[in-house]
Amino acid sequence: MTNRLRVLRAENRWSQAEVADRLGVSRQTVNAIETGKYDPSLPLAFAIARLFALRIEDVFSPDGHH
Amino acid sequence: MATCNALYTPRDVQNMRVFNYWFLSAMVFFLVATFAIKRELVVPALGWTLTALSVGLLVMGVRAYIVFIRNADELLRKVQLEALALGFGAGMVFMLGWRLCERLGALKLDVSDPIIVMMLVFAVGQYIGIRRYCVKDDEQ
């Protein structure tokens, strides 16, 4: 799965720590999602999409579909 | 430089602290009970009381760990569960493998030896998992 978390975060000028705080997860979780080392759970994926006021498919997509 | 301690949220730190208190208390009582019973320093009733207290504190430690896992940051939970699986698997392999080795003449082990293997491999598994998801300091 690929995601646009790093791009969206940069657009909002948020640090990984800020995003982690807003989502109630650790900074390492945000980093692992951005670098593709970890795919978030469905509730966390929805929370990330909600944070950026986007639909979940605007943030996450299966490999090679962006 | 890499930061490896950013895997715990404040809630995880708090829950881990609660677990540590229970577990350390249980270990202190366990050691005191073992020493006192082995050296026959206490009457049987007190020995049973110390044993019950140790077991009770250990049960509370397990309960605190379950609370910690249930509420943990999801990546931390993944690291912990993988480490638990590694520890449990290593304990199983060691226990069954060594039983065969004993029949072939190897040294007889104590019942608590597989637990030591489990705990060591669990600790190594945690270390590997945490290292895998370290954050480079320039990744802000």
Side-chain angles (χ1 to χ4, degrees), chain A residues 11-53:
Chain A
E11 283 173 3
N12 286 273
R13 296 182 184 188
W14 287 335
S15 66
Q16 287 182 345
E18 278 177 287
V19 172
D21 273 351
R22 288 167 190 265
L23 294 169
V25 298
S26 67
R27 187 183 149 210
Q28 270 177 260
T29 298
V30 173
N31 182 268
I33 294 169
E34 282 188 0
T35 53
K37 288 182 187 169
Y38 174 67
D39 290 330
S41 67
L42 201 50
L44 181 55
F46 272 110
I48 292 168
R50 199 163 44 239
L51 180 65
F52 295 104

Side-chain angles (χ1 to χ4, degrees), chain B residues 110-122:
Chain B
D110 190 73
V111 68
S112 59
D113 289 335
I115 297 169
I116 295 167
V117 172
M118 280 172 143
M119 291 181 82
L120 279 176
V121 176
F122 173 57

Side-chain angles (χ1 to χ4, degrees), chain B residues 30-41:
Chain B
F30 177 78
L31 290 174
V32 168
T34 303
F35 183 78
I37 294 167
K38 210 171 182 177
R39 298 281 171 99
E40 297 180 0
L41 298 174

Side-chain angles (χ1 to χ4, degrees), chain B residues 12-56:
Chain B
D12 298 330
V13 172
Q14 174 63 26
N15 287 339
M16 182 48 94
R17 195 173 290 146
V18 172
F19 164 72
N20 285 338
Y21 288 149
W22 285 116
F23 188 71
L24 286 176
S25 308
M27 284 297 103
V28 168
F29 268 86
F30 177 78
L31 290 174
V32 168
T34 303
F35 183 78
I37 294 167
K38 210 171 182 177
R39 298 281 171 99
E40 297 180 0
L41 298 174
V42 289
V43 293
L46 187 55
W48 283 108
T49 306
L50 284 172
T51 302
L53 272 170
S54 304
V55 171

Side-chain angles (χ1 to χ4, degrees), chain B residues 64-124:
Chain B
Y65 186 75
I66 291 170
V67 170
F68 164 70
I69 283 284
R70 278 187 183 156
N71 296 299
D73 169 76
E74 59 181 60
L75 183 60
L76 175 60
R77 191 184 309 132
K78 177 183 153 88
V79 167
Q80 289 284 320
L81 290 179
E82 283 181 2
L84 279 172
L86 264 176
F88 181 78
M92 283 279 291
V93 169
F94 180 77
M95 218 164 10
L96 295 175
W98 198 265
R99 181 152 287 198
L100 287 176
C101 293
E102 279 178 358
R103 289 175 197 274
L104 292 170
L107 188 73
K108 280 212 180 293
L109 291 181
D110 190 73
V111 68
S112 59
D113 289 335
I115 297 169
I116 295 167
V117 172
M118 280 172 143
M119 291 181 82
L120 279 176
V121 176
F122 173 57
V124 171

